[in-house]
Amino acid sequence: MEPGTMHRQRRFAFCTLSLACGLLILLLVAGYIGGLRINTTPSEPLGLWRIVQITRSIRPGEMVFVCPPDNAAMREARQRGYLRTGLCPGGFGPFIKTVIAVAGQRVVVTDRVAIDGVPIPNSRIIGVDGRGRSLRHDQSGVVRPREVYLHSDFIGSWDSRYFGPVPDSGVLGLAQEVLTYAP
C-alpha cells in the first residue's frame, strides 16, 4: 500500500461518518421541530408519534400529548420513575393519555373510575405500584374549568386516577400515531 493511501482512506471514512452523523442529527432536530416524538412507555403503543396542533376545545375520547403540571405529585412520580425528564415546565417529559372528562363532567372514583355515571373500561384503581409502594388515588368531583381528566387503558399507567385532573394549558396537541407497535 502506498504511504498516502491509508491516510486518504481514514480521512474518507471520517468524512463519511461525520456526514452520516450530521444528517442523523439534522433529521432528529427536524422531526422534533415538526412535532415528532418517540414513545417508549407501555401506556400507549411504542414508537413514533406526532403532536398535532389543536385550535379548538379538547373533547373526551381524544388522545393528547400533555406536559404534566409542576407539583408535588409529579415530582414524586419522577422520583419513583413513573415520569421521564424532558422539556416541559419542571423538567418533565410529556406523556400521551386519552382525555376522558372535561370541565363540568362528574368523576366518581371508587375501585374504578366512572364519568357522569358511566364506568370507564380498564380504570381499576390499584393500591400499590410494581415495587409495592402505596399509591394514593384521586378523589371524586366535578372537573373544573380549564382542566382535563386523563386515562390510559394500561393498568399500570400513571394517570388522573392517581393525580387528578390537570390544566388543559398543558395539552401540547393531539397525539397521532405515525409508526407504532403495540406489544
Side-chain angles (χ1 to χ4, degrees):
M1 194 177 272
E2 292 182 35
T5 303
M6 181 71 88
H7 177 69
R8 280 191 301 276
Q9 286 177 340
R10 284 185 181 173
R11 191 168 68 196
F12 177 76
F14 176 77
C15 290
T16 302
L17 285 174
S18 295
L19 181 61
C21 288
L23 286 174
L24 179 62
I25 289 169
L26 182 64
L27 283 173
L28 290 173
V29 169
Y32 188 83
I33 291 170
L36 295 177
R37 301 293 185 272
I38 296 174
N39 179 45
T40 59
T41 66
S43 293
E44 298 301 337
L46 306 173
L48 189 62
W49 291 74
R50 176 179 292 122
I51 299 173
V52 178
Q53 185 178 12
I54 187 166
T55 57
R56 56 168 172 71
S57 297
I58 301 158
R59 300 177 190 139
E62 293 182 316
M63 195 173 297
V64 294
F65 271 94
V66 179
C67 275
D70 184 8
N71 60 29
M74 295 303 168
R75 288 189 291 275
E76 179 181 6
R78 186 173 47 204
Q79 288 174 346
R80 287 184 172 203
Y82 305 160
L83 299 177
R84 290 179 167 55
T85 58
L87 299 177
C88 292
F92 302 111
F95 46 70
I96 304 169
K97 302 290 180 208
T98 300
V99 175
I100 60 170
V102 295
Q105 291 190 280
R106 178 145 190 79
V107 177
V108 175
V109 181
T110 56
D111 62 333
R112 64 196 60 226
V113 177
I115 307 296
D116 293 335
V118 178
I120 302 299
N122 303 312
S123 67
R124 187 169 58 89
I125 303 296
I126 55 176
V128 295
D129 68 9
R131 292 187 176 173
R133 298 173 290 194
S134 71
L135 292 170
R136 293 180 294 275
H137 62 80
D138 184 42
Q139 303 299 310
S140 300
V142 175
V143 179
R144 295 184 302 238
R146 295 177 300 286
E147 288 186 337
V148 292
Y149 200 89
L150 306 170
H151 176 68
S152 170
D153 286 342
F154 178 62
I155 189 66
S157 177
W158 178 250
D159 57 33
S160 290
R161 289 177 278 187
Y162 305 103
F163 56 74
V166 298
D168 65 6
S169 60
V171 174
L172 301 173
L174 297 175
Q176 180 184 61
E177 293 180 61
V178 175
L179 182 63
T180 61
Y181 168 74

